[in-house]
Each structure stands twice: as structure tokens, then as C-alpha cells.
Amino acid sequence: DTRQSRHNFHDFRELARYPITFRLYYLLNIAYGLLDPWALLCLVWLGFVWLGLAGARPEWALPSAFWFLAFAGLNLFLNRVLFGLLEPVMNSRRGREVLLVILMLALVTMQIVIYVVLPRWIKIIRPYLGKILLTVHEMLPAGLASRGVTGGTWIDLAIAFSGLLGYGLIAAVVLWRQLRKNYLGEVQSEGPKARGALQMQPGWNL
């Protein structure tokens, strides 16, 4: 059936039904991440950033290519891990509603912080805010990749490499655990849960 085959292609978890090894299932899941529109958009954006860097600093083109590829590979792992974490939430109506409420509250909170809190406290927190943001940036994958590109010492290169490698190993282990559950048959159902009896509760439920 063509429609069933097309459905199985879009729902990657259906591959676990076929007699393939878990190692192949793991590799196919990572490769399938390259077909995700958001992952492709990030790769295209990262490629144009590298082209701009190569045009502005030709001597950085070849050394920076390694760090850009490492950063892209790490993003691919993080993309699959994030979708694996959100998948159980998005498979239920209550989960989607809770996620939408959280996003709306986050947007409102950002507006309050930008237009109400910061104008009043910017003079006090400005000396500390820059240092905090810089420290956080240096600890994140983007900051580590940037340190690898612009770092002039072996210490900078070692910190950048070990940091990206550590993030990659953690993401690989988390993804391994997520896919292992699906491979062993713990597949989330998109339909409603079966109940033995219909329980009616009077009152409003918003």
C-alpha cells in the first residue's frame, strides 16, 4: 500500500518493526535528521557563515572548516535529542496545550523583562550582565566553536575540542537511550489511551 509506505517513511519509529540491528537503526535515525527542514536550514545558514568567513579571512578558511563541521555534527545530534524529548509531549493533546502555555508565558515574561525590568535596573546590572552572558556563551557549543576558530594557543584549541567532544558524547548517549526504548517496542501511540470504563466527573474542566 503506497499510503502506508509513505506513512512509514515519515514516521521513522516504524523502522523498528523490521529485522534490522540496533546499530543500523541508530545510524539511520541520525541520517534521517538531515532530512529535517530545521536541520537543513541550520546547515545552510552555517555554510553561508563559513563562506563569509572564508571571503573575509582566506587564511582561516581551511582551519575553520574543521570547527564548522564539528559544530554542524553536534547540532545534528542535539536536533535528534530535542525531537526525541518533545515527541512524547507532542503526541498528546494535553502535552501540546501545556507546551503552548509555557511558550506564551515565556514570551510575555521576555516582554516584561525587556520593557519593564531592564530600563529600571540596567545601570546596576550592566557591569555584571556582560560578564555573565560572555561566560555562558563561552560554555555553549557555539562559543566553543568560535574559540576553536579564533583561538591562537593550543590551550584554546584543546578546550574547544574537548568541550565539543564532551557535548557530542553526552548527546550520543542520550539519543542512544531514547532510540533503545523505541527499538525494544516502547513506541508512543498517537491515538487515545484505551480505558476499561467510562468515568464521568461533573463540573467544568478548562
Side-chain angles (χ1 to χ4, degrees):
D1 183 67
T2 306
R3 291 177 298 177
Q4 182 68 22
S5 302
R6 188 181 296 113
H7 171 72
N8 291 343
F9 174 76
H10 287 293
D11 191 357
F12 184 83
R13 297 168 302 172
E14 295 292 334
L15 282 178
R17 301 176 182 271
Y18 297 93
I20 60 176
T21 62
F22 175 70
R23 183 176 300 178
L24 179 60
Y25 179 72
Y26 185 83
L27 294 176
L28 287 176
N29 186 279
I30 298 175
Y32 184 75
L34 294 174
L35 301 177
D36 181 72
W38 294 107
L40 289 176
L41 183 61
C42 292
L43 291 178
V44 171
W45 170 81
L46 196 62
F48 278 108
V49 172
W50 181 82
L51 289 176
L53 178 64
R57 296 289 185 89
E59 66 276 9
W60 286 8
L62 187 59
S64 64
F66 168 79
W67 298 105
F68 273 72
L69 289 175
F71 184 61
L74 177 59
N75 279 328
L76 179 60
F77 272 99
L78 295 177
N79 175 274
R80 303 308 299 165
V81 170
L82 180 61
F83 274 90
L85 293 175
L86 292 178
E87 189 175 19
V89 178
M90 299 301 294
N91 279 342
S92 64
R93 181 178 179 181
R94 178 61 60 87
R96 291 191 293 268
E97 292 173 350
V98 171
L99 184 60
L100 179 61
V101 170
I102 293 176
L103 291 177
M104 293 177 65
L105 290 177
L107 292 176
V108 173
T109 303
M110 290 176 59
Q111 297 291 328
I112 295 175
V113 171
I114 293 174
Y115 295 105
V116 178
V117 178
L118 286 182
R120 297 183 180 182
W121 298 92
I122 189 64
K123 293 182 180 180
I124 300 176
I125 66 176
R126 180 179 294 173
Y128 308 99
L129 185 61
K131 296 179 181 179
I132 294 175
L133 293 178
L134 182 60
T135 303
V136 173
H137 169 71
E138 291 177 348
M139 296 174 60
L140 293 177
L144 293 172
S146 176
R147 187 169 188 172
V149 173
T150 60
T153 63
W154 286 103
I155 297 178
D156 292 329
L157 298 180
I159 292 176
F161 181 78
S162 59
L164 292 177
L165 181 61
Y167 275 114
L169 290 176
I170 294 175
V173 171
V174 174
L175 183 62
W176 183 282
R177 292 173 60 88
Q178 291 176 346
L179 296 181
R180 189 68 181 176
K181 294 180 180 180
N182 291 339
Y183 184 78
L184 294 177
E186 299 181 19
V187 179
Q188 295 281 344
S189 176
E190 296 183 1
K193 295 182 180 180
R195 299 180 179 178
L198 182 61
Q199 302 293 335
M200 299 296 294
Q201 295 182 358
W204 293 92
N205 185 14
L206 179 61

